mmCIF file of all heavy atoms in Angstrom:
data_model
loop_
_atom_site.group_PDB
_atom_site.id
_atom_site.type_symbol
_atom_site.label_atom_id
_atom_site.label_comp_id
_atom_site.label_asym_id
_atom_site.label_seq_id
_atom_site.Cartn_x
_atom_site.Cartn_y
_atom_site.Cartn_z
ATOM 1 N N THR D 28 224.863 157.741 92.186
ATOM 2 C CA THR D 28 223.505 157.225 92.292
ATOM 3 C C THR D 28 223.507 155.702 92.191
ATOM 4 O O THR D 28 224.519 155.081 91.851
ATOM 5 C CB THR D 28 222.620 157.786 91.167
ATOM 6 O OG1 THR D 28 223.159 157.362 89.911
ATOM 7 C CG2 THR D 28 222.566 159.309 91.229
ATOM 8 N N MET D 29 222.344 155.100 92.429
ATOM 9 C CA MET D 29 222.257 153.647 92.355
ATOM 10 C C MET D 29 222.426 153.163 90.919
ATOM 11 O O MET D 29 223.072 152.138 90.676
ATOM 12 C CB MET D 29 220.929 153.142 92.924
ATOM 13 C CG MET D 29 220.912 151.634 93.123
ATOM 14 S SD MET D 29 219.576 151.034 94.161
ATOM 15 C CE MET D 29 218.297 150.811 92.942
ATOM 16 N N VAL D 30 221.868 153.865 89.952
ATOM 17 C CA VAL D 30 222.015 153.416 88.567
ATOM 18 C C VAL D 30 223.470 153.517 88.130
ATOM 19 O O VAL D 30 223.967 152.655 87.381
ATOM 20 C CB VAL D 30 221.070 154.193 87.623
ATOM 21 C CG1 VAL D 30 221.537 155.618 87.393
ATOM 22 C CG2 VAL D 30 220.906 153.455 86.302
ATOM 23 N N ALA D 31 224.193 154.515 88.621
ATOM 24 C CA ALA D 31 225.621 154.628 88.314
ATOM 25 C C ALA D 31 226.413 153.510 88.983
ATOM 26 O O ALA D 31 227.381 152.983 88.413
ATOM 27 C CB ALA D 31 226.153 155.989 88.751
ATOM 28 N N ALA D 32 226.008 153.130 90.197
ATOM 29 C CA ALA D 32 226.676 152.032 90.898
ATOM 30 C C ALA D 32 226.468 150.709 90.165
ATOM 31 O O ALA D 32 227.384 149.873 90.088
ATOM 32 C CB ALA D 32 226.151 151.940 92.331
ATOM 33 N N ILE D 33 225.277 150.509 89.619
ATOM 34 C CA ILE D 33 224.994 149.301 88.847
ATOM 35 C C ILE D 33 225.839 149.285 87.575
ATOM 36 O O ILE D 33 226.417 148.254 87.204
ATOM 37 C CB ILE D 33 223.491 149.224 88.531
ATOM 38 C CG1 ILE D 33 222.711 148.920 89.813
ATOM 39 C CG2 ILE D 33 223.197 148.180 87.454
ATOM 40 C CD1 ILE D 33 221.227 149.161 89.703
ATOM 41 N N ASN D 34 225.937 150.423 86.912
ATOM 42 C CA ASN D 34 226.764 150.530 85.717
ATOM 43 C C ASN D 34 228.225 150.202 86.050
ATOM 44 O O ASN D 34 228.906 149.489 85.294
ATOM 45 C CB ASN D 34 226.656 151.939 85.134
ATOM 46 C CG ASN D 34 227.494 152.128 83.887
ATOM 47 O OD1 ASN D 34 228.678 152.440 83.953
ATOM 48 N ND2 ASN D 34 226.874 151.942 82.731
ATOM 49 N N GLU D 35 228.690 150.700 87.179
ATOM 50 C CA GLU D 35 230.070 150.443 87.596
ATOM 51 C C GLU D 35 230.301 148.964 87.884
ATOM 52 O O GLU D 35 231.342 148.398 87.520
ATOM 53 C CB GLU D 35 230.386 151.287 88.836
ATOM 54 C CG GLU D 35 231.847 151.401 89.167
ATOM 55 C CD GLU D 35 232.112 152.451 90.225
ATOM 56 O OE1 GLU D 35 232.196 153.643 89.866
ATOM 57 O OE2 GLU D 35 232.213 152.080 91.412
ATOM 58 N N ALA D 36 229.333 148.320 88.508
ATOM 59 C CA ALA D 36 229.456 146.890 88.788
ATOM 60 C C ALA D 36 229.529 146.094 87.494
ATOM 61 O O ALA D 36 230.366 145.181 87.347
ATOM 62 C CB ALA D 36 228.275 146.420 89.639
ATOM 63 N N LEU D 37 228.667 146.420 86.538
ATOM 64 C CA LEU D 37 228.673 145.713 85.258
ATOM 65 C C LEU D 37 229.982 145.941 84.519
ATOM 66 O O LEU D 37 230.548 145.006 83.914
ATOM 67 C CB LEU D 37 227.487 146.177 84.413
ATOM 68 C CG LEU D 37 226.095 145.829 84.956
ATOM 69 C CD1 LEU D 37 225.012 146.528 84.139
ATOM 70 C CD2 LEU D 37 225.859 144.323 84.981
ATOM 71 N N ASP D 38 230.479 147.161 84.567
ATOM 72 C CA ASP D 38 231.752 147.492 83.929
ATOM 73 C C ASP D 38 232.887 146.641 84.519
ATOM 74 O O ASP D 38 233.686 146.037 83.787
ATOM 75 C CB ASP D 38 232.025 148.983 84.134
ATOM 76 C CG ASP D 38 233.237 149.479 83.354
ATOM 77 O OD1 ASP D 38 233.837 148.693 82.592
ATOM 78 O OD2 ASP D 38 233.599 150.652 83.515
ATOM 79 N N GLN D 39 232.951 146.573 85.840
ATOM 80 C CA GLN D 39 234.024 145.816 86.483
ATOM 81 C C GLN D 39 233.883 144.320 86.236
ATOM 82 O O GLN D 39 234.878 143.608 86.082
ATOM 83 C CB GLN D 39 234.047 146.129 87.982
ATOM 84 C CG GLN D 39 234.469 147.555 88.281
ATOM 85 C CD GLN D 39 234.505 147.872 89.767
ATOM 86 O OE1 GLN D 39 234.219 147.028 90.607
ATOM 87 N NE2 GLN D 39 234.841 149.114 90.091
ATOM 88 N N ALA D 40 232.658 143.824 86.178
ATOM 89 C CA ALA D 40 232.445 142.401 85.903
ATOM 90 C C ALA D 40 232.899 142.054 84.487
ATOM 91 O O ALA D 40 233.550 141.021 84.265
ATOM 92 C CB ALA D 40 230.979 142.041 86.100
#
Side-chain angles (χ1 to χ4, degrees):
T28 62
M29 191 165 88
V30 73
I33 289 165
N34 180 274
E35 195 169 277
L37 294 171
D38 188 4
Q39 292 180 0

